[in-house]
Amino acid sequence: MKLKALLAAGVAAAALSAGAAAAEQVKIGIAAEPYPPFASLDSSGNWVGWEVEVINAVCAAAELDCVITPVAWDGIIPSLTGQQIDAIMASMSITEERLKTIDFSDPYYNTPAVIVADKAMDIEPTPESLAGKIVGIQASTIHQAYAQEYFKDAELKVYQTQDEANQDLFAGRIDATQADSIAMADFVNSDTGSCCEIKGAVADDPAILGRGVGAGVRKGDDALREALNKGIAAILADGTHEQITAKYFTTSIY
């Protein structure tokens, strides 16, 4: 009887060990499309940027063996639920709509949504001011959902990437775009974006715009969510988050 118990215990231990080994590497999904200064490819083909550094810091603090896995933005949640990746860290806002499908870690940054337009245009970040204007937005984002709800009198032009919207704004093919304030600050400070300026933040709607950016995980994957929370808390507490942020931005984004 004791021998059977020992054998059973050995089998169980082996199974646990195999499960742990299979779960050693955590695939962190990021958008395959460049989103500077958060994530983009350098000349050597390596992913660099603020969010890439934060991912590495969070995983190190949580003692997770993470590998960055690029996925097309419009398929990133299906890739998570379909187990092609284990988590999403791609500037994804925590919204009630997304929480119906996936769970989120605590937020690791939070910035407002802004309207950007040519410096010469008299535009304000309001539905009244944008009525009749052509507004560019990135597909499958909180900005698309917000614009569809509030800018019904504007003509909305949807792009697969924010970079494409920025290029059309520079070329004069659209009048304005709505996007994250930090990403757009990087754009307007670039040579291409020197044509334009941030006209201000849109009125907040937490139900659409969310309550900050977190790491998305599969429903019920509490162990990974808690591990990521541990990592996020650690880099916020020890100053690592602030040190990384200072390399890219002049203001706090948390």
Side-chain angles (χ1 to χ4, degrees):
M1 199 66 180
K2 287 183 179 179
L3 178 59
K4 288 183 178 179
L6 286 171
L7 288 171
V11 170
L16 285 170
S17 177
E24 277 180 3
Q25 197 170 68
V26 179
K27 294 182 179 178
I28 304 291
I30 64 170
E33 303 83 1
Y35 188 54
F38 292 90
S40 58
L41 289 169
D42 66 11
S43 58
S44 300
N46 299 312
W47 284 96
V48 297
W50 180 87
E51 201 157 20
V52 175
E53 290 199 37
V54 166
I55 290 168
N56 291 333
V58 167
C59 288
E63 300 181 336
L64 295 172
D65 178 16
C66 296
V67 57
I68 290 177
T69 308
V71 180
W73 172 256
D74 59 3
I76 203 164
I77 289 180
S79 293
L80 176 64
T81 56
Q83 301 190 32
Q84 283 79 44
I85 56 175
D86 301 305
I88 297 168
M89 293 185 74
S91 292
M92 180 170 281
S93 297
I94 305 164
T95 66
E96 293 303 320
E97 187 62 30
R98 287 172 177 150
L99 282 166
K100 295 175 183 177
T101 306
I102 63 176
D103 287 337
F104 279 94
S105 71
D106 296 333
Y108 56 90
Y109 86 86
N110 191 10
T111 53
V114 297
I115 296 296
V116 175
D118 191 282
K119 291 176 180 176
M121 293 195 72
D122 184 18
I123 284 180
E124 295 181 355
T126 64
E128 297 77 18
S129 182
L130 290 168
K133 301 293 193 300
I134 303 173
V135 180
I137 45 175
Q138 185 181 356
S140 303
T141 63
I142 57 172
H143 305 294
Q144 180 181 15
Y146 187 94
Q148 288 172 337
E149 177 65 26
Y150 288 97
F151 303 145
K152 294 177 180 177
D153 293 328
E155 179 184 340
L156 303 182
K157 189 170 182 181
V158 181
Y159 297 87
Q160 288 305 303
T161 71
Q162 185 59 43
D163 188 54
E164 291 172 339
N166 294 348
Q167 289 174 21
D168 269 11
L169 181 62
F170 170 74
R173 288 186 282 268
I174 60 175
D175 298 309
T177 184
Q178 177 183 313
D180 178 83
S181 62
I182 291 294
M184 296 316 293
D186 191 65
F187 168 67
V188 299
N189 288 324
S190 68
D191 290 339
T192 302
S194 61
C195 61
C196 304
E197 64 184 3
I198 294 174
K199 299 295 186 178
V202 301
D204 192 25
D205 183 344
I208 296 176
L209 296 178
R211 55 177 188 268
V213 168
V217 299
R218 282 185 289 277
K219 285 284 188 185
D221 195 350
D222 296 334
L224 180 55
R225 180 176 56 80
E226 290 169 7
L228 291 169
N229 281 343
K230 174 187 172 184
I232 292 166
I235 69 166
L236 286 168
D238 68 10
T240 302
H241 188 283
E242 186 177 356
Q243 291 168 9
I244 295 170
T245 299
K247 294 167 60 176
Y248 294 88
F249 311 118
T250 57
T251 59
S252 172
I253 63 171
Y254 185 82

